[in-house]
Amino acid sequence: SIPPYLFPVIKTCKKMGIQTVAVHSDVDSSAVHVKMADEAVCVGSAPTSKSYLNMDAIMDAIRVTGAQAVHPGYGFLSENKEFAKRLAAEGVAFIGPDTHAIQAMGDKIESKLIAKAAKVNTIPGFDGVVKTAEEAVKIAQEIGYPVMIKASAGGGGKGMRIAWNDEETREGFRFSSQEAASSFGDDRLLIEKYIDNPRHIEIQVLADKHGNALWLNERECSIQRRNQKVVEEAPSTFLDPVTRRAMGEQAVQLAKAVQYSSAGTVEFLVDSKKNFYFLEMNTRLQVEHPITECITGLDLVEQMIRVAKGYQLQHTQDDIPINGWAIECRVYAEDPYKSFGLPSIGRLSQYQEPLDLDKVRVDSGIQEGSDISIYYDPMISKLITYGATRAEALGRMEDALDNYVIRGVTHNIPLLREIITHPRFVSGHISTNFLPEVYPDGFKGHQLEADAKRELLASAAVLYITAELRSQFVLFRVASTPVECSHWELCVELGEERQDVEISKSGTVYTVEMDGAKVEVWGALNLASPLLPLTINGTQRMLQCLSRDAAGVIVLQYLGTLFKVRVLSKLAAELNSYMPEKVSEDTSSILRSPMPGTVVAVSVKPGDTVAEGQEICVIEAMKMQNSLTAVKQAKVKSVHCKPGETVGEGDLLVELE
């Protein structure tokens, strides 16, 4: 039995000759995992509580199909001890650890005590459950700020808040407990010292039921937003062999302490002096497991299935290599310009994975026509590249992101491409604070330097001329004599800037002149293709054209970022200067939803006076709560939402006077 978004599990099962049953919600009836499996059973409606977390329905599906084992996937019930117990009672194998290990490591408070007993380095903190906001403040003051407030049963960045003072502790306690209850059905919280500017490095472990356990090297997971991983790599640029072995051996000590059997991950925070501290253990397959598979040659899903069947491990620690380098980018349906990624919903009108490139792997659960909804995680896919060296893997990732076609939803490829090409990332000088440090004012997309700007404008102009020539060709098929033209004068606009350009054409080569500089562009453009392979001044580039309209507006994806360029003839540009400009909306007096989601709370009513920064309402999307605040002091004019309502991106929530 297989839950959603587990292409690797079904693929491995097919390789091993194992038949599969996919469980799905009603909105996932056409999902990729449903089509790949030999059988499929609907277990309920879209909300996770009524489908993927509905144990009764899933147990019924197991009985009806006669399934002998369950692979729980990355989330949902993958670390739920009650589910594992129910499977054991029915004589069905749980492809994961036993209930004791799940319970011990799933509770962050208990796991920390076990880690201490197993002589694993741990973070200073309070080892009990924090019951009230005021108790949280008292404990935080005793530990010393900053502190991390997090859900005892949590994971995936949910139910976690950093607090630097008493007020942030109170607010963090409220939001973390609400998110924990929503995501895990358990609102217990713990508090520990927050290690500022650390690296997040995890060790993959693999253990069997016969007392054997291995560490399969590390994964560097420091690039995060809202405590959720965005880019991962294996191995880490930071670890030396001595530190790697020490972390690996402590991870194995912890696994043996709880008699762990299956694949699992022990996460550590590592400071600048290579001191490392136990963070948590994930008793399941990690989303980022493919990069470990790339450098070790092991299929972790296959190993999990073998262990669940009772087989001993086939390898010893000396058999585990580090061959090459692997990078994984998590491609999300998110707007990276809003807090590094707020969820986006919609239908994938066009979708094309870059699988024709060498050593590129894409694990996805969607296809063209799939809907990205508010009910589940907004991840589109995991994009993995592999190379003999880190530079080779990064180069392949750059090409893969440029060749990845996603239409219909906003996605985070602009951010991903900027991360992997940033000098700090390339040099390996990273931490969990990478994003806020590199982009202190938020992500703004690729910032064009003079040469890159000329490349973009020249490409847009060439695309415009190519479309004009195609139109003329079609027209002249029914007209008399075609008019030959090889020289054009145009005006190209990018933002507030306007540039006069001259273009001449010789064969398939266009020469674009602007500002006294020449840009040569060549390539046979297929206007029906979303991909535009061009050679610009001798450098190969892959651009994407998202749209063109009759007003000359062309939206191009260039170096990962979308740019809106307007190309006009000289006459059209002159006439356009007489057109009135649209007046922008006064956003200081209105509050619109920055993302689709559900209204959790409304803190104001008409007539109230709010201060700058005061919370107005809370929106929950993909189980993450977001507090929306006033940008100025004003009186509330009207409220257009109420708790429990579903809102779309841009919907009006509150008006201020």
Side-chain angles (χ1 to χ4, degrees):
S1 179
I2 307 288
Y5 310 115
L6 276 179
F7 167 79
V9 175
I10 298 181
K11 184 179 178 182
T12 295
C13 286
K14 287 183 180 293
K15 181 181 73 175
M16 298 176 72
I18 300 171
Q19 291 189 316
T20 55
V21 178
V23 296
H24 64 90
S25 66
D26 55 3
V27 296
D28 276 345
S29 58
S30 298
V32 171
H33 80 287
V34 173
K35 294 181 178 180
M36 285 185 67
D38 298 290
E39 297 179 63
V41 178
C42 180
V43 290
S45 55
T48 54
S49 60
K50 297 181 179 178
S51 52
Y52 298 117
L53 293 176
N54 186 345
M55 289 191 215
D56 291 337
I58 293 173
M59 294 304 298
D60 287 342
I62 291 167
R63 296 185 194 102
V64 168
T65 59
Q68 298 169 300
V70 172
H71 195 298
Y74 308 125
F76 298 123
L77 298 173
S78 61
E79 295 178 283
N80 189 298
K81 64 181 183 295
E82 294 304 322
F83 182 56
K85 283 180 181 178
R86 291 185 65 171
L87 290 175
E90 296 271 348
V92 177
F94 179 74
I95 303 176
D98 62 24
T99 55
H100 166 70
I102 295 174
Q103 179 171 345
M105 292 295 100
D107 187 309
K108 287 184 171 60
I109 296 169
E110 185 179 350
S111 67
K112 190 172 180 180
L113 295 173
I114 293 172
K116 280 184 177 180
K119 298 183 179 179
V120 176
N121 304 345
T122 58
I123 301 171
F126 180 68
D127 295 331
V129 177
V130 185
K131 297 177 181 178
T132 67
E134 292 310 311
E135 184 184 0
V137 169
K138 182 181 177 183
I139 292 168
Q141 290 172 344
E142 291 172 356
I143 295 172
Y145 289 109
V147 297
M148 172 70 83
I149 304 167
K150 58 186 182 181
S152 175
K158 296 179 175 66
M160 298 175 68
R161 289 290 190 283
I162 300 166
W164 295 81
N165 53 50
D166 293 353
E167 187 56 37
E168 289 184 6
T169 299
R170 292 186 183 92
E171 186 179 84
F173 181 89
R174 178 164 68 95
F175 280 124
S176 292
S177 58
Q178 289 173 355
E179 285 181 5
S182 173
S183 298
F184 316 112
D186 184 345
D187 63 358
R188 292 177 304 144
L189 301 178
L190 60 87
I191 298 180
E192 61 189 18
K193 181 70 176 176
Y194 174 65
I195 299 175
D196 195 17
N197 215 36
R199 286 175 178 259
H200 184 136
I201 300 176
E202 61 190 30
I203 300 292
Q204 176 71 58
V205 295
L206 181 65
D208 62 23
K209 300 178 187 295
H210 305 276
N212 303 304
L214 308 173
W215 50 274
L216 308 183
N217 303 309
E218 79 278 6
R219 294 186 290 257
E220 172 77 70
C221 307
S222 297
I223 306 299
Q224 304 180 3
R225 52 99 179 90
R226 298 192 301 279
N227 299 308
Q228 291 180 311
K229 301 161 190 172
V230 180
V231 178
E232 302 104 341
E233 61 181 307
S236 168
T237 60
F238 189 61
L239 296 190
D240 55 66
V242 173
T243 309
R244 176 179 294 116
R245 176 170 290 278
M247 292 176 69
E249 289 176 349
Q250 286 200 16
V252 166
Q253 285 169 211
L254 181 61
K256 288 185 174 181
V258 292
Q259 299 178 320
Y260 196 86
S261 61
S262 192
T265 298
V266 180
E267 300 189 350
F268 293 94
L269 290 182
V270 185
D271 68 18
S272 58
K273 296 180 181 179
K274 297 184 181 177
N275 298 309
F276 57 90
Y277 306 92
F278 170 69
L279 185 61
E280 65 181 358
M281 183 176 189
N282 290 304
T283 58
R284 56 175 169 82
L285 189 67
Q286 289 282 83
V287 169
E288 60 273 18
H289 78 276
I291 55 177
T292 296
E293 294 183 335
C294 287
I295 67 167
T296 62
L298 295 179
D299 183 331
L300 292 184
V301 174
E302 180 180 354
Q303 297 301 317
M304 292 178 75
I305 294 172
R306 286 180 54 83
V307 168
K309 182 66 175 173
Y311 293 124
Q312 291 192 37
L313 297 182
Q314 299 169 296
H315 306 277
T316 64
Q317 191 63 57
D318 292 338
D319 298 330
I320 307 303
I322 297 180
N323 290 329
W325 215 284
I327 313 282
E328 175 178 289
C329 284
R330 298 192 184 195
V331 182
Y332 284 105
E334 290 182 339
D335 186 345
Y337 299 95
K338 297 177 179 177
S339 302
F340 299 112
L342 291 184
S344 169
I345 62 171
R347 177 167 293 174
L348 290 167
S349 56
Q350 194 170 14
Y351 183 74
Q352 184 176 309
E353 297 173 347
L355 294 174
D356 56 333
L357 301 180
D358 187 36
K359 295 181 180 176
V360 172
R361 169 176 168 177
V362 183
D363 288 1
S364 68
I366 50 87
Q367 59 193 343
E368 192 164 289
S370 293
D371 287 311
I372 306 295
S373 72
I374 64 171
Y375 297 108
Y376 311 123
D377 190 279
M379 184 184 291
I380 293 173
S381 72
K382 301 177 296 180
L383 178 63
I384 304 104
T385 58
Y386 173 74
T389 64
R390 186 171 187 261
E392 192 176 298
L394 283 173
R396 287 199 169 107
M397 181 59 74
E398 195 175 328
D399 290 340
L401 291 168
D402 286 342
N403 282 269
Y404 206 150
V405 178
I406 304 172
R407 304 283 189 273
V409 296
T410 305
H411 55 76
N412 68 332
I413 283 179
L415 175 62
L416 295 173
R417 197 184 189 284
E418 285 299 294
I419 290 171
I420 66 158
T421 57
H422 194 279
R424 264 189 63 176
F425 184 85
V426 173
S427 68
H429 179 52
I430 60 175
S431 73
T432 55
N433 293 326
F434 178 88
L435 288 179
E437 287 177 356
V438 172
Y439 308 105
D441 300 320
F443 180 65
K444 307 295 183 184
H446 185 78
Q447 301 303 298
L448 293 171
E449 296 180 352
D451 288 345
K453 186 178 292 184
R454 280 193 288 270
E455 281 191 12
L456 173 63
L457 298 183
S459 301
V462 168
L463 183 60
Y464 175 87
I465 293 300
T466 302
E468 287 291 301
L469 291 175
R470 186 180 71 168
S471 298
Q472 290 177 15
F473 174 76
V474 173
L475 288 172
F476 289 137
R477 288 177 66 181
V478 295
S480 52
T481 308
V483 178
E484 292 291 338
C485 185
S486 60
H487 185 270
W488 299 266
E489 292 186 357
L490 302 172
C491 179
V492 184
E493 299 174 359
L494 178 63
E496 299 298 319
E497 297 182 36
R498 178 177 293 184
Q499 183 72 54
D500 291 329
V501 302
E502 292 188 19
I503 304 179
S504 57
K505 181 176 183 290
S506 176
T508 59
V509 180
Y510 292 85
T511 302
V512 184
E513 296 185 46
M514 66 182 86
D515 267 347
K518 289 186 178 181
V519 180
E520 285 199 336
V521 181
W522 62 93
L525 292 181
N526 177 2
L527 298 179
S529 171
L531 297 174
L532 303 174
L534 295 174
T535 302
I536 307 173
N537 284 344
T539 302
Q540 291 185 340
R541 301 283 191 199
M542 181 63 75
L543 282 72
Q544 295 187 31
C545 179
L546 278 73
S547 65
R548 291 181 292 113
D549 65 22
V553 177
I554 301 173
V555 179
L556 287 175
Q557 181 175 305
Y558 170 69
L559 301 179
T561 296
L562 298 186
F563 293 95
K564 183 183 288 186
V565 183
R566 194 176 190 191
V567 185
L568 299 170
S569 66
K570 277 287 187 69
L571 176 59
E574 182 181 339
L575 296 174
N576 187 65
S577 64
Y578 297 103
M579 297 292 289
E581 291 188 12
K582 183 179 179 181
V583 179
S584 300
E585 183 179 51
D586 179 13
T587 56
S588 66
S589 297
I590 59 172
L591 180 68
R592 294 187 181 277
S593 178
M595 79 210 90
T598 303
V599 179
V600 175
V602 179
S603 307
V604 298
K605 61 183 183 299
D608 287 354
T609 298
V610 294
E612 181 180 349
Q614 181 178 330
E615 180 180 288
I616 291 179
C617 62
V618 178
I619 304 293
E620 182 180 281
M622 279 81 173
K623 298 191 182 297
M624 295 293 287
Q625 294 193 0
N626 301 272
S627 175
L628 307 183
T629 59
V631 297
K632 66 177 183 180
Q633 180 172 328
K635 182 178 286 187
V636 178
K637 180 180 178 182
S638 58
V639 177
H640 298 269
C641 62
K642 57 185 178 182
E645 282 187 345
T646 299
V647 294
E649 181 179 354
D651 283 1
L652 181 62
L653 303 175
V654 175
E655 287 184 273
L656 304 177
E657 292 183 355

